[in-house]
Amino acid sequence: MMRKAFRSGLVVVLGAVALLVSCRQQESPPPVNKAPLPSVAAPPYVCEFVPLDAIRLMTGIQNPIIEGRFNMAVGKMVDGLEYGTGSCRAYQPSGNKSKVLQIILSPAGGEREVDWEISQGARRLPEIVSGAVGYYSQNGSAGNTQAAAMLVHGYDRVIVELIHGVKGRDNAADVVAMMKLIAPKLILDATPTPEQAKD
């Protein structure tokens, strides 16, 4: 009799546990924040130029690990002027801490690269900085959240590469919006002015 009572009690407990697990599995994930990135850069900033709130929206990560910096006058090019370089990288804060976003500034720009990417299906960026040209694209695989944008101004180029965005967001629009937030300051500060060229 005692064994039967124990067995029926065990069955009830196991049934309750199975029901609880089943209910938790059926809970829907939190809704995707589809709010567009802000149109004006505002603090807090990471890597001096990049708005943290924009990174949070693009990646869905509230506390990313951030590494990197930008140096606006690192090396002399063939014309004797100094150009900026550097990068800002965001990583998952847990697990394998994979990279989710990177922004790169380098004196390796060229309009030919932009033209080639557009000939391969990338879309032309709207005008962000006078005299600059650029493109943006998104990986076309189903469910893929990768997107990238590149802006070239003289020798300088800025690349925004979203390696792991948020499913349900417009990842291509996110990289364009991030470019609009950072390029006017970042790429213009990195490019020598005509006054510098005369020195």
Side-chain angles (χ1 to χ4, degrees), residues 92-128:
Q92 289 273 7
S94 58
N96 63 0
K97 296 180 172 55
S98 58
K99 189 189 313 177
V100 293
L101 173 72
Q102 68 179 356
I103 297 167
I104 300 168
L105 170 68
S106 68
E111 291 187 21
R112 284 186 189 172
E113 184 177 356
V114 173
D115 292 338
W116 187 86
E117 291 289 345
I118 290 169
S119 76
Q120 299 303 304
R123 290 171 278 181
R124 189 173 294 280
L125 278 172
E127 185 174 64
I128 295 173

Side-chain angles (χ1 to χ4, degrees), residues 7 19 30 36 38 43 48 67 86 90 101 108 115-116 127 129 133 150 154-155 175 177 182 185 193 197:
R7 282 182 190 157
L19 183 62
E48 295 184 58
E67 291 181 354
L101 173 72
D115 292 338
W116 187 86
E127 185 174 64
V129 173
V133 295
M150 184 175 87
Y155 282 117
V175 295
I182 62 171
K185 180 81 174 144
T193 64

Side-chain angles (χ1 to χ4, degrees), residues 8-23:
S8 62
L10 185 59
V11 167
V12 169
V13 169
L14 290 176
V17 168
L19 183 62
L20 181 63
V21 168
S22 174
C23 287

Side-chain angles (χ1 to χ4, degrees), residues 24-170:
R24 284 195 175 169
Q25 287 176 345
Q26 291 176 4
E27 287 178 12
S28 58
V32 173
N33 184 347
K34 293 187 179 181
L37 266 62
S39 58
V40 176
Y45 293 103
V46 294
C47 308
E48 295 184 58
F49 292 90
V50 185
L52 178 58
D53 288 339
I55 292 177
R56 289 172 171 159
L57 273 174
M58 292 175 77
T59 65
I61 301 170
Q62 290 307 299
N63 297 299
I65 296 170
I66 304 292
E67 291 181 354
R69 65 185 293 267
F70 297 102
N71 187 331
M72 292 302 135
V74 157
K76 292 185 180 274
M77 296 291 290
V78 290
D79 57 6
L81 299 177
E82 294 180 342
Y83 291 84
T85 189
S87 67
C88 188
R89 302 167 305 278
Y91 298 86
Q92 289 273 7
S94 58
N96 63 0
K97 296 180 172 55
S98 58
K99 189 189 313 177
V100 293
L101 173 72
Q102 68 179 356
I103 297 167
I104 300 168
L105 170 68
S106 68
E111 291 187 21
R112 284 186 189 172
E113 184 177 356
V114 173
D115 292 338
W116 187 86
E117 291 289 345
I118 290 169
S119 76
Q120 299 303 304
R123 290 171 278 181
R124 189 173 294 280
L125 278 172
E127 185 174 64
I128 295 173
V129 173
S130 179
V133 295
Y135 72 88
Y136 67 101
S137 63
Q138 181 163 358
N139 187 313
S141 305
N144 200 313
T145 59
Q146 293 180 325
M150 184 175 87
L151 187 71
V152 173
H153 184 255
Y155 282 117
D156 289 302
R157 72 176 177 181
V158 174
I159 298 170
V160 176
E161 184 182 8
L162 182 59
I163 299 159
H164 186 75
V166 178
K167 283 187 180 178
R169 285 187 63 83
D170 185 339

Side-chain angles (χ1 to χ4, degrees), residues 176-193:
V176 174
M178 177 63 90
M179 188 68 81
K180 288 178 180 177
L181 288 173
I182 62 171
K185 180 81 174 144
L186 191 59
I187 206 165
L188 290 178
D189 279 4
T191 302
T193 64

